Amino acid sequence: MTKTEAAEQVRAARIRSGLTWAEIATRVDKPLVWTTAALLGQHPVPGDTAATVGELLGLDEAVVEALQLQPTRTPDPAAAQDPTVYRFHEALAVYGPALKELIHEEFGDGIMSAINFKVDVARRADPDGDRVVVTFDGKFLDYRW
């Protein structure tokens, strides 16, 4: 089983279970966005964590094994021309699907506006080296049927 196939089974099992991504993250004692991204195939999940998720969601052993595999992350060749731009592409490739899941879980069916939108860059001191803090602040736009 591939990580992509496992992710689809995780999505379906999460909905069947009635658990939120936040509840799963709490149960496995991991950060919310990391947990969501990992269960969607973007990180290898440690064995004990994969087993716990398997029990929580009623997943079979093939899914639990696939969660533990190292993902293949393919960079966008156009982004590779600049290291800073590449890191944004990499971050969104890894965390974009998780952020989408979390936005839909929190707000419902819709998108974050890039028109009614603010972005900010700040420096935060850290003993291990200063941190870059990028904030995207977009209005939620719900789909109206």
Side-chain angles (χ1 to χ4, degrees):
M1 172 171 296
T2 68
K3 288 189 81 63
T4 301
E5 293 166 336
E8 289 308 313
Q9 290 204 25
V10 165
R11 274 190 178 106
R14 185 191 67 78
I15 291 167
R16 277 193 308 275
S17 74
L19 292 171
T20 65
W21 291 109
E23 290 168 332
I24 295 168
T26 297
R27 298 280 283 278
V28 298
D29 195 30
K30 302 285 186 211
L32 174 60
V33 176
W34 182 92
T35 299
T36 308
L39 296 181
L40 294 177
Q42 294 301 314
H43 299 297
V45 179
D48 58 336
T49 303
T52 300
V53 169
E55 290 174 24
L56 280 173
L57 300 179
L59 302 170
D60 66 36
E61 190 58 35
V63 177
V64 172
E65 288 175 4
L67 291 174
Q68 297 173 68
L69 298 173
Q70 182 69 37
T72 300
R73 301 177 187 115
T74 308
D76 177 351
Q81 295 178 19
D82 178 83
T84 302
V85 173
Y86 171 77
R87 290 297 176 226
F88 279 103
H89 278 268
E90 179 183 37
L92 287 175
V94 172
Y95 292 104
L99 293 170
K100 176 188 176 353
E101 286 281 330
L102 295 169
I103 288 168
H104 285 260
E105 184 171 275
E106 179 71 24
F107 293 91
D109 189 14
I111 61 172
M112 178 183 71
S113 175
I115 295 170
N116 188 337
F117 184 80
K118 298 174 188 170
V119 64
D120 189 41
V121 177
R123 177 189 299 246
R124 187 179 78 224
D126 188 281
D128 290 331
D130 288 356
R131 311 286 296 181
V132 176
V133 179
V134 178
T135 304
F136 287 173
D137 180 346
K139 179 180 179 182
F140 179 73
L141 304 172
D142 62 319
Y143 287 109
R144 296 183 184 172
W145 301 98

